[in-house]
Each structure stands twice: as C-alpha cells, then as structure tokens.
Amino acid sequence: PGFRDVHLQALLGFGLLVAFLGRYGPGSMAISILVTAFAIQWTILIQGFLYFFLNSKISVGAQSMVSADFCTAAVLISAGAVLGRVNPVQMLLLTLLGVTLFTLNEYILHSLMGVSDSGGSLTVHTFGAYFGLMVSRILHQPHMDKSKEQQNTGHQPDGFTAVGTIYLWIFWPSFASATTARDNPEPWAVLNTYFSLAASTMATFVLWPILHEEGTLRTVQIQDAALAGAAVMGMAGEMLVAPFGALIAGFLAGLIPPLGFRFLTPILCSRLKTQDACGVHNVHGLPGILGALLGTLLTALATADAYGGR
C-alpha cells in the first residue's frame, strides 16, 4: 500500500500539476509519463549500484522502487520550471542529468552528513526546484523576456488541476511517511502533513484576495498551497512537531506562493533572467528551505525524554 500511494502521487499527482498551462496543458501529461518512465529505469540503475548492489547484482524491491519514485518526483518538479521551452529529447537529457545529481545530493545528505529527510524537503522539493531553475537560466533566451506563453493560465479548464489537487490531498501524507525510520511511528508524519495541508490551504484563501484585485481563487492556487504545506513537512514530518506546530508551519508555508508570485517571480524574471513556468521556486523551493530550517530547529530542541530515547 505504501508503494502504491507513492507511485500514484508521482505519476498522477505530479503529472497533473502542469495541466493549468494554457498552451502546454494538453501535452504535459504525456511528457510527465515519458519523464517518469525514463527516470524510474535510470534511478534503479544509478541507486542500485550505490545502495542496493550485492553479490554483483542489483537488488530490486519495495525500498528501491519507492526511492525511484522520490527521484522521479524531484525531476518532475524540475521539469515544471522549463516546460514549454524544451522538446521531449531535451527533457530526457534533463532527466538523465537530474537523476544523477539527485542521487549524488541524496548520498551526500543522507549517508555522509546523516540528515534525516524522509519527506524530501531538501532532497525532493528544494533540489528539484533549484535544479530546474538552474536549467531554466541556462536556457534563457533574451527575446522571450516579454513572452507570457509559458505562464498563460487564462484559457485552460481547471478539471485536470482539480484532479491533481485531490490526489495531492489524498496521497501526500502517505508520500511523506513512506521512508520514515522504522523505530519512528508512522502516524507522526501522516498527522503532521495532514494538519499542514489544511493550514496552508487556509492561508492561501486568506491572503490571495488581499494581494489580487480579482479576489477569486482558481484551483491552481489551492494546488500550490497544498504543495507548499507538504514541502514544509518533508523533514520535520517524522519529528514531534505537535498539531499546533504543524498548523503554524503549514500556515506560514501557505503564505509563500501568493507572496512569491506577486513580488518575487517578477524579480527572478527581470533581474536574474530566470523563467519559471510553473512557479516551482515559490511552491517547492522556498517552502522546502523553510521545512529544512524547521527540521533543524526541532533537531536542536530534541531531548531523549520527548522522543523516548529515539
């Protein structure tokens, strides 16, 4: 069941995230399936030699399959930053490089530094966002500065986006708890993510009408809030956040996408020449950093009494 939930989240939850783009929505799901199919195979090989290599063979099981889906999720986040400016062959090259760097980054954080990041605040959300932005900066074309085609969201129905958002809500608690430590109760990660999703959505409903004159939320803004709330609980989810702490963290994360799209995205585009088609910086990057800071704070405050010696 755990693998099923993670696999559905990677394939359908992330696959439907870019369906709101006016021009590229119809083909986005096909590109997502292509990236998923290639990323799973490449990840099994790369991580197999690094983690699951025994007696001259790669051991394939539930753990390696879940790891492959986590890596696929990070690559799909990266693809969201460059969607509409790369063809399928270039997307495969991005996947080839992204999986390799993801595995290296994960090895450094988990194996060398001992970082606990079961839900992927750093390894999935932050890495995926900033790797995608780096590729976007490399692909920058000056004559595209004034083009809004990549971010055209005005004429695409919200049906696919609504389905993707529902998948996020249903399956993200399972996604966040799929790789939690064996001696750590799984319900912690489930409950913390559950409360964070609720609070981040409320924050977006509160702030969006204040920042935008039209005042009407579309499904894509609710989707962004859910993603931000999940990203902030990636590292701290399996820690003793408590419902009150999860609600506060989720609410703060839910404020980031509306503020980022209003004030930060224009600066990235004009000053840093970075085009971000799906807003991965506001939805994944900054909430992922906030989640890493929260995880660091909780680690510093942890005591043996509170965690029962874990």
Side-chain angles (χ1 to χ4, degrees):
F3 166 72
R4 176 200 61 202
D5 293 349
V6 172
H7 199 53
L8 278 170
Q9 182 72 297
L11 193 61
L12 286 175
F14 282 100
L16 293 169
L17 292 185
V18 291
F20 68 91
L21 290 174
R23 180 176 177 181
Y24 306 104
S28 61
M29 189 65 183
I31 293 295
S32 298
I33 294 174
L34 173 67
V35 169
T36 301
F38 183 67
I40 287 175
Q41 298 175 74
W42 185 232
T43 306
I44 290 291
L45 284 177
I46 293 292
Q47 294 192 354
F49 284 115
L50 195 60
Y51 299 116
F52 308 108
F53 194 68
L54 182 64
N55 297 326
S56 302
K57 295 182 179 180
I58 294 177
S59 175
V60 179
Q63 185 178 359
S64 61
M65 293 161 70
V66 168
S67 297
D69 279 340
F70 268 68
C71 182
T72 300
V75 175
L76 288 172
I77 292 172
S78 302
V82 297
L83 193 73
R85 290 184 291 142
V86 293
N87 58 42
V89 175
Q90 292 171 325
M91 194 69 82
L92 289 179
L93 292 175
L94 180 146
T95 305
L96 190 73
L97 179 60
V99 168
T100 305
L101 293 179
F102 173 91
T103 305
L104 177 62
N105 178 60
E106 187 180 53
Y107 178 76
I108 292 173
L109 289 175
H110 289 176
S111 300
L112 300 184
M113 299 178 63
V115 175
S116 176
D117 189 19
S118 61
S121 282
L122 282 177
T123 54
V124 176
H125 295 281
T126 306
F127 170 82
Y130 288 103
F131 174 68
L133 291 175
M134 178 193 73
V135 175
S136 178
R137 179 63 183 86
I138 294 173
L139 296 177
H140 171 69
Q141 298 176 359
H143 66 276
M144 291 293 290
D145 281 345
K146 297 182 180 181
S147 173
K148 299 298 181 182
E149 290 181 340
Q150 284 82 12
Q151 300 183 30
N152 176 24
T153 63
H155 306 289
Q156 200 58 12
D158 280 354
F160 286 118
T161 310
V163 174
T165 304
I166 292 171
Y167 269 102
L168 292 176
W169 267 85
I170 294 174
F171 293 111
W172 204 289
S174 297
F175 186 93
S177 63
T179 60
T180 50
R182 293 184 181 275
D183 58 350
N184 195 11
E186 181 182 298
W188 282 9
V190 173
L191 289 173
N192 289 332
T193 306
Y194 182 74
F195 286 118
S196 181
L197 286 170
S200 62
T201 303
M202 291 295 297
T204 298
F205 267 95
V206 170
L207 188 58
W208 189 269
I210 298 175
L211 295 177
H212 298 272
E213 295 180 358
E214 65 271 14
T216 303
L217 269 80
R218 298 179 63 231
T219 312
V220 64
Q221 280 90 46
I222 303 173
Q223 185 184 73
D224 292 342
L227 285 165
V232 77
M233 277 296 121
M235 181 179 291
E238 62 176 338
M239 301 179 186
L240 193 56
V241 184
F244 184 69
L247 289 170
I248 292 177
F251 191 87
L252 293 176
L255 299 176
I256 293 176
L259 292 172
F261 281 114
R262 181 64 184 270
F263 301 109
L264 192 56
T265 298
I267 295 176
L268 285 176
C269 187
S270 61
R271 301 288 180 84
L272 300 181
K273 309 301 181 184
T274 301
Q275 297 169 337
D276 187 1
C278 296
V280 297
H281 184 236
N282 305 316
V283 178
H284 297 278
L286 293 178
I289 292 175
L290 179 62
L293 294 175
L294 176 62
T296 304
L297 175 63
L298 291 172
T299 302
L301 298 177
T303 61
D305 292 336
Y307 284 84
R310 286 191 294 275

